[in-house]
């Protein structure tokens, strides 16, 4: 509040990079996802610089599940990123994107025997999640010409709860060390790395210092007691984007530590834990969200306004949680794309789904929008274009703006014909003879 009343923080957003929102909507339809290549490359280069200025050997591996559009993956691969995948489908996508097998990190709790075999034959880095997977790979390894390269995924208490102990082997109870000993003793697998991914949207840099310290402890033990030096430490992903978490008091731009701060916590720990300078392991990062979230926008259109039974204003949009899975966690920033009145009102934003859960914002102060008005949703690049759902509405176009802000269609809107191809109607259901 100020002496003029509530001052609106709302600013119109008419352009993404140099491309006009109204032109993008006219050409590609509403709603449409838009990605900025400039921002993707900027984010990547900033993150790499944050680590490389502090540590001699750094490698990023793009987390496919965060956004596995081929265009996005290829931008990161062009920048030098390896691929980090968590399923056989993603593994194949990485190969199709031209990533050599030995530059693919294969994570995840479910890898089939066939997938393990293929990954081993391609010399990929197989990150073991549990003992049953280790036994399966040991069995396979007996038939393979060379030793599969593996890392152990470790979960640990980093002071952030709940602990992600469902993935990998636990540090504190000795399970991780036990897995390491078995791998080395088998002689059939090459133990090359140690891995953790302690959570996502982590706001604590200290948690990464703790995690790095525990991985270092295991790595030094490997060298000292098993005569097995570890080639790389993989600290996973988890850095936050600058989105605002639901219910957070301060906006995400004020609370998220920078990549520099995470880099400082991780690299200072590794450098001071007892490696000789010439034996410092390669440091791998699997950063997802922090590299892609703010490079993605969703453009859409107001469908209608109405009053709810309690008098609140409600606005219906042509996109909902079907396209914005992350609206369950974030209060996404939403801007009008054109002129608007300066009268604002608390509004609930609904999507077009015929479902009660389809709420884009529970309460947001917005100018009065009219049917047909266009909107920009910010920071939607992570986990929406992979977790979106095909539910009563078809998935829309995705457009990439190149460095000159020229739009390229990188995934076309789905059509009913495309969906129908997957269905089959049994012979006895072919005829429908309604009177
Ligand atoms: C999802 C995932 C990532 C990426 O996580 P962000 O929080 O998006 O950075 C990295 N590594 C693994 C193993 C993952 O499952």
């Amino acid at each position: 509040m100020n002496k003029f009343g509530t001052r609106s923080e709302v600013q119109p957003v008419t352009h993404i990079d140099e491309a006009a929102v109204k032109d993008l909507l006219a050409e590609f339809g509403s709603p449409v996802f838009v990605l900025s290549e400039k921002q993707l490359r900027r984010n990547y280069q900033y993150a790499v610089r944050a680590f490389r200025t502090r540590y001699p050997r750094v490698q990023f591996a793009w987390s496919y599940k965060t956004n596995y559009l081929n265009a996005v993956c290829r931008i990161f691969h062009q920048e030098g990123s390896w691929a980090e995948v968590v399923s056989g489908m993603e593994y194949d996508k990485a190969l199709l994107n031209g990533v050599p097998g030995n530059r693919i990190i294969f994570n995840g709790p479910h890898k089939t025997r066939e997938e393990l075999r293929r990954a081993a034959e391609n010399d990929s880095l197989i990150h073991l999640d549990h003992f049953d997977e280790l036994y399966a790979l040991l069995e396979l390894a007996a038939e393979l010409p060379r030793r599969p390269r593996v890392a152990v995924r470790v979960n640990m208490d980093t002071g952030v709860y709940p602990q992600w102990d469902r993935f990998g082997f636990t540090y504190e109870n000795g399970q991780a060390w036990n897995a390491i000993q078995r791998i080395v003793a088998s002689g059939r697998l090459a133990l090359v790395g140690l891995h953790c991914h302690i959570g996502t949207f982590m706001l604590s840099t200290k948690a990464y210092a703790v995690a790095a310290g525990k991985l270092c402890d295991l790595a030094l033990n490997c060298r000292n007691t098993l005569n097995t030096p570890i080639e790389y430490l993989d600290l996973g992903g988890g850095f936050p984007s600058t989105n605002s978490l639901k219910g957070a008091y301060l906006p995400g731009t004020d609370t998220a530590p920078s990549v520099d701060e995470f880099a400082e916590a991780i690299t200072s720990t590794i450098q001071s834990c007892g490696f000789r300078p010439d034996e410092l392991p390669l440091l791998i990062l699997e950063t997802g969200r922090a590299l892609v979230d703010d490079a993605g926008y969703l453009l859409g259109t107001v469908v209608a306004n109405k009053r709810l039974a309690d008098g609140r204003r409600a606005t219906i949009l042509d996109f909902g949680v079907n396209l914005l899975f992350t609206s369950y966690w974030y209060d996404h920033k939403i801007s009008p794309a054109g002129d608007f009145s300066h009268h604002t009102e608390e509004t609930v934003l609904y999507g077009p789904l015929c479902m009660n859960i389809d709420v884009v914002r529970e309460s947001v102060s917005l100018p009065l929008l009219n049917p047909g008005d266009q909107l920009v949703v910010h920071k939607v690049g992570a986990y929406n274009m992979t977790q979106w759902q095909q539910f009563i509405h078809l998935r829309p176009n995705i457009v990439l703006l190149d460095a000159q802000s020229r739009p390229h269609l990188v995934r076309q809107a789905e059509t009913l014909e495309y969906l129908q191809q997957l269905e089959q109607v049994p012979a006895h259901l072919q005829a429908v003879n309604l009177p």
Side-chain angles (χ1 to χ4, degrees):
M1 292 285 277
N2 61 31
K3 66 179 174 176
F4 305 111
T6 311
R7 201 163 57 97
S8 170
E9 294 296 319
V10 180
Q11 298 289 330
V13 172
T14 57
H15 287 75
I16 311 293
D17 294 345
E18 309 295 316
V21 169
K22 67 173 172 19
D23 295 346
L24 290 167
L25 283 163
E27 184 173 355
F28 298 100
S30 180
V32 58
F33 278 105
V34 177
L35 288 151
S36 162
E37 179 171 351
K38 247 195 276 190
Q39 191 63 33
L40 289 169
R41 291 189 188 272
R42 208 162 27 216
N43 289 347
Y44 184 86
Q45 289 161 10
Y46 160 62
V48 167
R49 198 161 52 240
F51 279 89
R52 291 222 173 117
T53 50
R54 294 175 165 87
Y55 193 81
R57 302 176 57 219
V58 176
Q59 178 62 51
F60 277 70
W62 175 239
S63 157
Y64 264 50
K65 77 173 188 295
T66 310
N67 188 320
Y68 48 56
L69 280 173
N70 295 329
V72 169
C73 297
R74 282 169 192 245
I75 287 169
F76 289 130
H77 297 323
Q78 280 187 351
E79 291 285 336
S81 190
W82 295 358
E84 184 274 327
V85 305
V86 291
S87 73
M89 183 272 277
E90 288 192 342
Y91 185 88
D92 290 341
K93 242 176 172 270
L95 288 177
L96 290 171
N97 278 327
V99 182
N102 65 358
R103 298 286 184 261
I104 302 177
I105 294 171
F106 196 178
N107 279 314
H110 174 42
K111 313 176 188 81
T112 67
R113 216 161 245 266
E114 245 351 274
E115 288 162 359
L116 284 173
R117 178 194 301 277
R118 220 143 39 84
E121 284 170 355
N122 290 334
D123 200 25
S124 300
L125 297 160
I126 301 172
H127 285 193
L128 296 167
D129 182 78
H130 48 261
F131 280 113
D132 284 337
E133 187 171 77
L134 168 56
Y135 303 145
L137 190 60
L138 281 173
E139 237 181 277
L140 272 172
E143 309 159 14
L144 294 171
R146 72 176 156 209
R147 293 190 307 163
R149 293 193 299 156
V150 301
V152 171
R153 175 158 179 178
V154 181
N155 68 67
M156 69 249 309
D157 184 350
T158 60
V160 174
Y161 309 102
Q163 183 178 340
W164 276 21
D165 58 353
R166 57 169 288 184
F167 302 110
F169 301 85
T170 303
Y171 173 83
E172 283 79 12
N173 65 9
Q175 197 184 46
W177 181 244
N178 184 235
I180 289 168
Q181 283 178 310
R182 288 187 192 206
I183 291 166
V184 173
S186 78
R188 287 196 214 148
L189 305 176
L191 178 66
V192 291
L194 297 173
H195 172 233
C196 68
H197 173 58
I198 58 177
T200 191
F201 212 97
M202 305 291 284
L203 294 169
S204 160
T205 55
K206 180 143 173 290
Y208 282 87
V210 172
K214 289 180 176 176
L215 289 191
C216 285
D217 175 55
L218 290 172
L220 290 167
N221 259 337
C222 282
R223 180 192 69 182
N224 296 340
T225 68
L226 302 176
N227 200 24
T228 303
I230 294 295
E231 292 172 24
Y232 69 86
L233 300 181
D234 180 345
L235 267 289
F239 305 153
S241 70
T242 52
N243 258 304
S244 301
L245 288 176
K246 260 191 172 159
Y249 183 64
L250 290 167
T253 40
D254 293 351
T255 49
S258 65
V259 178
D260 274 299
E261 291 170 270
F262 287 106
E264 187 61 32
I266 292 168
T267 58
S268 62
T269 303
I270 299 175
Q271 264 155 338
S272 60
C273 73
F275 294 109
R276 288 190 316 270
D278 64 320
E279 60 167 16
L280 279 174
L282 176 71
L283 171 58
I284 298 180
L285 285 314
E286 303 170 344
T287 309
R289 193 188 297 276
L291 295 184
V292 74
D293 219 9
D294 68 354
Y297 303 81
L298 180 59
L299 316 185
T301 307
V302 173
V303 174
N305 290 303
K306 64 199 289 186
R307 288 279 161 202
L308 301 178
D310 63 7
R312 267 183 309 153
R313 183 182 175 87
T315 297
I316 305 172
L317 311 172
D318 65 355
F319 57 86
V321 296
N322 53 325
L323 303 184
L324 274 186
F325 194 76
T326 53
S327 49
Y328 292 119
W329 288 286
Y330 293 150
D331 280 338
H332 278 292
K333 181 180 165 198
I334 299 179
S335 310
D339 290 339
F340 50 85
S341 80
H342 282 274
H343 181 69
T344 61
E345 185 175 339
E346 283 301 308
T347 306
V348 47
L349 298 181
Y350 291 126
L353 307 183
C354 226
M355 285 176 77
N356 208 31
I357 58 162
D358 190 19
V359 182
V360 175
R361 287 293 300 268
E362 266 139 35
S363 179
V364 56
S365 180
L366 276 181
L368 307 183
L369 300 164
N370 295 308
D373 282 359
Q374 298 174 335
L375 295 171
V376 175
V377 189
H378 300 262
K379 300 177 189 172
V380 303
Y383 297 105
N384 286 306
M385 287 161 244
T386 48
Q387 295 191 90
W388 52 355
Q389 300 166 53
Q390 179 269 306
F391 173 73
I392 78 169
H393 290 280
L394 296 162
R395 291 185 266 220
N397 284 320
I398 304 180
V399 173
L400 177 78
L401 301 177
D402 67 18
Q404 285 73 43
S405 294
R406 284 180 308 232
H408 301 264
L409 184 64
V410 293
R411 191 178 194 277
Q412 71 186 66
E414 292 176 1
T415 60
L416 183 57
E417 295 70 53
Y418 165 78
L419 288 181
Q420 296 279 68
Q421 281 170 22
L422 303 174
E423 292 200 40
Q424 289 174 40
V425 178
H428 68 286
L429 302 177
Q430 292 287 344
V432 173
N433 299 314
L434 280 175

